[in-house]
Amino acid sequence: VFTAGLIMFIAHLPAGYLLTRWLTRKVDCEKTRKKLLYLGMFASILPDLDLLAFYFVDNSQRFHHEYWPHIPYFWTILFLFMMVYLRMIRARSITFQVIWIVYLNLMLHLSLDTLVGGIYWLHPFDNSMFQLITIQPVYNWWVWNFILHWSFLVELLITTTAVVVSRLWRQLFRIMAFPGQPG
């Protein structure tokens, strides 16, 4: 079984964009929707901040999906605690929406990592790692094993969808067609 420090290369942020855009589709205020979008996108990459500890503290000694940011139980307990607390203090509905957006983007990240990276979904009750696809080492540089595997098409599909939905392709086309001109 081949595992690497970084599994999802490009899809976490675009997936977070798509999810948060859908979750905030009925928010009337453009400024609020934009802030929620940035928050959701940040939450969609938040678990991978454990890569700092993986590379700079732990010296890559254990798989970074074993750290607490990649443990669903941690986020679920925190989410439930926050929801109960917010009910107790009678927080505004936007605060609940913020917590939901963060939590769902965290779970999206972990779900995407389950594809080829593996996540401990039942921890601390069971230490089984759930992984849908095992990528065998074929190439010397571990990155090629992931990029040249068919599962990378899922990442390309998510990223392409986000580019199309965001209409970013229009700006990219203008930049390529008229270099040096403002987008």
Side-chain angles (χ1 to χ4, degrees):
V1 176
F2 179 71
T3 58
L6 186 64
I7 301 303
M8 240 326 126
F9 290 99
I10 61 173
H12 284 309
L13 202 58
Y17 170 81
L18 292 170
L19 175 62
T20 308
R21 185 172 165 145
W22 181 76
L23 291 172
T24 60
R25 69 194 179 283
K26 293 183 180 178
V27 174
D28 292 332
C29 178
E30 178 67 28
K31 188 176 179 182
T32 301
R33 189 172 43 250
K34 195 175 233 182
K35 286 180 183 179
L36 291 171
L37 185 63
Y38 290 140
L39 177 68
M41 290 170 62
F42 174 73
S44 74
I45 60 169
L46 183 61
D48 278 339
L49 290 180
D50 64 9
L51 286 168
L52 295 172
F54 176 74
Y55 286 115
F56 300 115
V57 176
D58 200 22
N59 200 26
S60 308
Q61 293 301 305
R62 45 177 236 200
F63 187 41
H64 82 105
H65 288 191
E66 295 175 16
Y67 298 137
W68 63 266
H70 274 90
I71 305 296
Y73 182 78
F74 168 78
W75 296 113
T76 301
I77 293 298
L78 185 61
F79 168 75
L80 292 173
F81 173 78
M82 290 298 299
M83 293 304 271
V84 168
Y85 176 72
L86 292 173
R87 285 270 184 235
M88 286 173 45
I89 66 166
R90 297 184 181 168
R92 296 181 332 179
S93 63
I94 189 71
T95 309
F96 286 97
Q97 190 172 14
V98 164
I99 298 302
W100 270 108
I101 287 170
V102 168
Y103 180 72
L104 291 174
N105 273 285
L106 290 164
M107 292 300 111
L108 175 63
H109 179 109
L110 300 177
S111 297
L112 289 171
D113 277 351
T114 303
L115 183 63
V116 296
I119 293 293
Y120 293 99
W121 282 101
L122 300 178
H123 180 80
F125 310 106
D126 182 345
N127 283 333
S128 300
M129 181 180 269
F130 292 86
Q131 179 178 357
L132 297 176
I133 302 164
T134 301
I135 297 180
Q136 299 298 328
V138 177
Y139 305 99
N140 288 334
W141 189 37
W142 66 269
V143 174
W144 289 124
N145 293 294
F146 290 91
I147 291 177
L148 298 176
H149 190 268
W150 68 264
S151 62
F152 191 67
L153 292 174
V154 173
E155 293 197 61
L156 292 175
L157 178 64
I158 292 168
T159 303
T160 302
T161 303
V163 167
V164 169
V165 166
S166 70
R167 298 189 178 126
L168 184 61
W169 61 273
R170 290 180 183 174
Q171 291 173 326
L172 294 173
F173 177 74
R174 283 188 203 123
I175 291 168
M176 288 188 298
F178 305 103
Q181 298 295 319

